[in-house]
């Protein structure tokens, strides 16, 4: 196993010393890049792009060709798991993800099984191995999955939603059915992330995009406890190297202590949280990743410098911070503003280490 030339991401996630604060961006490959839009047009659709390992590898590497990022993240989607379960994922133009067969009837829920990633998600594992080969040890590759709860949201609702009313209705009226789906999802997500680690992912991240819309009690019972099962089941080492993991709950600022208590290596923060306070609350229990408001990238280099500088300053001296946005990059982001952000973090962060 080749040694990484730039291991700042891995070291920061493990709270080890680094010469500067590493940076990568959620959704760093995507529609704000003209070369991404060209590749997607060649593939025919977003899903065809995900399912073609050559094109998915090309797109994964696009942001790294433009910017000195400290990590690559495999180009895929969290909804590959429910697609592999047979729910029929598709993307209607400009409308976001949808399922042909959302989970509604009790028998459909009882029939649900976790897919074998080496059979049904082979294309993702092939992309992971191809990207690893292409990176040749330059920077680490991050693998990812959705949280069991966030996947369940799409599987039950059948599409995105502003309130996920169908999911909440099941949560309050038939919690037994929701618990069954979540148990299957936890097994599926654990196997999928471990398969990505075996294929070459050097860190893994769980995206809990919708846990933050739950009540305090429901978040712990229906989202966090299943994310905790996933974390407990993950490989922590592969071929002699530690494989750190990150848990990101959008809207999870009130629950940072319980998220850290899952035993994850790092907690992802959205932009509503003060990162200095988050550090004080979590202490030595986990590293932190975040948390610039993605809207800052729509402004000017001067504003980007000020806002990114403020986050570095609020985190303060020492290790354990991975710079990122508080959610995915907007498709309206001017690509040159990403350069300004990375230069700022690279330029200012050395003095905190
Ligand atoms: O970070 C990266 O560069 C890796 C790629 C990545 C994508 N989706 C590619 C994508 C990652 C990490 C995801 C995760 C994902 N997907 C999440 C969790 C993170 C989050 O944003 O909260 C969720 C909820 C999804 C489901 C999903 N996929 C939605 C809701 C949408 C539509 C919204 C949108 O931005 O279009 C997608 C599509 C999607 N996934 C795109 C990309 C680049 C855009 C597709 C296109 O090219 O049209």
């Amino acid at each position: 196993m080749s040694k990484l030339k730039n291991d700042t991401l891995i070291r920061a996630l493990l709270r080890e010393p680094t010469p500067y604060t590493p940076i990568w961006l959620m959704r760093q490959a995507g529609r704000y890049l003209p070369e991404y839009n060209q590749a997607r047009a060649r593939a025919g659709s977003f899903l065809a792009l995900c399912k073609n390992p050559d094109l998915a590898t090309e797109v994964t590497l696009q942001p790294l060709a433009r910017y000195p990022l400290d990590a690559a993240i495999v180009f895929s989607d969290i909804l590959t798991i429910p697609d592999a379960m047979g729910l029929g994922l598709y993307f209607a133009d400009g409308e976001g993800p949808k399922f042909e067969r959302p989970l509604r009837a009790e028998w459909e829920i009882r029939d649900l099984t976790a897919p074998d990633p080496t059979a049904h998600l082979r294309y993702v594992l092939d992309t992971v191995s191809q990207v690893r080969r292409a990176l040749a040890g330059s920077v680490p590759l991050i693998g990812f999955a959705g949280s069991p709860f966030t996947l369940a949201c799409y599987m039950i609702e059948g599409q995105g939603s502003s309130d996920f009313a169908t999911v909440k209705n099941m949560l309050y009226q038939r919690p037994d059915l929701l618990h069954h789906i979540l148990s299957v999802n936890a097994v599926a997500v654990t196997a999928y992330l471990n398969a990505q680690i075996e294929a070459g992912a050097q860190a893994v991240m769980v995206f809990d995009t919708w846990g933050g819309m739950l009540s305090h009690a429901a978040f712990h019972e229906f989202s966090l406890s299943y994310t905790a099962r996933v974390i407990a089941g993950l490989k922590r080492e592969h071929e002699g190297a530690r494989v750190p993991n990150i848990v990101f709950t959008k809207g999870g600022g009130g629950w940072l202590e319980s998220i850290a208590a899952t035993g994850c290596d790092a907690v992802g923060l959205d932009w509503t949280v003060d990162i200095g306070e988050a550090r004080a609350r979590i202490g030595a229990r986990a590293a932190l990743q975040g948390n610039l408001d993605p809207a800052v990238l729509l402004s000017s280099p001067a504003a980007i410098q000020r806002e990114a500088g403020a986050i570095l300053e609020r985190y303060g001296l020492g290790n354990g911070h991975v710079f990122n946005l508080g959610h995915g990059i907007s498709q309206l982001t001017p690509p040159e503003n990403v350069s300004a952000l990375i230069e700022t973090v690279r330029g200012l962060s050395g003095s905190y280490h």
Side-chain angles (χ1 to χ4, degrees):
M1 176 66 40
S2 59
K3 251 188 126 276
L4 278 166
K5 292 181 196 90
N6 174 353
D7 65 353
T8 52
L9 173 89
I10 305 294
R11 295 179 65 88
L13 291 173
L14 296 172
R15 307 179 61 259
E16 293 170 2
T18 55
Y20 61 88
T21 304
I23 176 169
W24 70 278
L25 305 176
M26 292 191 259
R27 295 269 184 108
Q28 63 189 24
R31 286 166 297 186
Y32 73 105
L33 292 176
E35 60 271 33
Y36 167 81
N37 293 317
Q38 282 164 16
R40 192 183 61 170
R42 264 189 284 141
S45 70
F46 166 68
L47 214 48
L49 188 54
C50 291
K51 291 187 175 180
N52 179 324
D54 291 334
L55 287 175
T57 299
E58 182 184 323
V59 166
T60 302
L61 299 172
Q62 283 173 348
L64 290 115
R66 271 187 187 252
Y67 312 113
L69 291 156
D70 294 296
I73 177 162
V74 63
F75 188 81
S76 186
D77 198 82
I78 62 165
L79 301 177
T80 52
I81 287 185
D83 187 50
M85 287 167 160
L87 274 62
L89 175 64
Y90 68 100
F91 284 80
D93 248 352
E95 282 184 58
K98 291 197 172 164
F99 286 107
E100 283 162 23
R101 295 172 289 281
L103 293 179
R104 290 289 159 80
E106 183 155 353
W107 68 266
E108 293 170 318
I109 292 168
R110 298 283 172 211
D111 269 5
L112 193 70
T113 51
D116 172 359
T118 62
H120 304 287
L121 293 158
R122 184 83 252 164
Y123 63 94
V124 180
L125 307 180
D126 288 343
T127 303
V128 169
S129 342
Q130 284 194 39
V131 173
R132 270 299 299 277
R133 245 175 282 137
L135 286 171
S138 51
V139 292
L141 174 61
I142 303 167
F144 71 89
S147 72
F149 178 73
T150 291
L151 295 184
C153 284
Y154 289 97
M155 292 160 70
I156 295 161
E157 205 75 39
Q159 58 186 39
S161 164
S162 57
D163 56 4
F164 287 99
T166 318
V167 180
K168 287 201 171 181
N169 192 45
M170 187 186 286
L171 188 153
Y172 291 114
Q173 298 226 52
R174 289 299 306 271
D176 59 315
L177 291 183
L178 184 54
H179 277 302
H180 178 74
I181 297 169
L182 293 166
S183 302
V184 175
N185 285 359
V187 170
V189 170
T190 308
Y192 182 50
L193 287 175
N194 281 334
Q196 291 183 52
I197 291 169
E198 269 156 28
Q202 290 148 299
V204 290
M205 175 153 166
V206 176
F207 286 89
D208 186 20
T209 307
W210 298 117
M213 66 162 181
L214 293 173
S215 72
H216 176 86
F219 170 71
H220 287 85
E221 181 178 348
F222 294 94
S223 180
L224 194 63
S225 64
Y226 291 93
T227 297
R229 280 193 202 179
V230 172
I231 296 299
L234 288 182
K235 289 183 68 124
R236 302 304 274 247
E237 224 182 86
H238 183 63
E239 295 182 338
R242 290 278 308 272
V243 181
N245 55 58
I246 310 157
V247 174
F248 169 66
T249 299
K250 184 159 178 281
W255 307 310
L256 300 179
E257 295 85 350
S258 20
I259 295 168
T262 60
C264 62
D265 294 296
V267 176
L269 305 176
D270 71 19
W271 66 89
T272 64
V273 178
D274 178 280
I275 197 168
E277 279 175 28
R279 187 180 188 187
R281 284 164 60 190
I282 290 190
R285 282 175 288 174
L288 297 179
Q289 175 173 282
N291 66 339
L292 186 74
D293 182 349
V296 173
L297 286 181
L298 306 178
S299 63
S300 65
I304 291 166
Q305 282 163 18
R306 186 184 69 231
E307 297 298 321
I311 288 173
L312 290 170
E313 195 192 328
R314 289 298 301 151
Y315 187 83
L317 283 177
N319 311 311
H321 180 205
V322 172
F323 203 100
N324 205 318
L325 305 178
H327 198 209
I329 191 168
S330 157
Q331 62 175 306
L332 304 175
T333 302
E336 59 276 17
N337 284 356
V338 175
S339 298
L341 173 63
I342 296 170
E343 278 163 27
T344 301
V345 172
R346 199 56 51 79
L348 296 180
S349 66
S351 61
Y352 294 98
H353 292 270

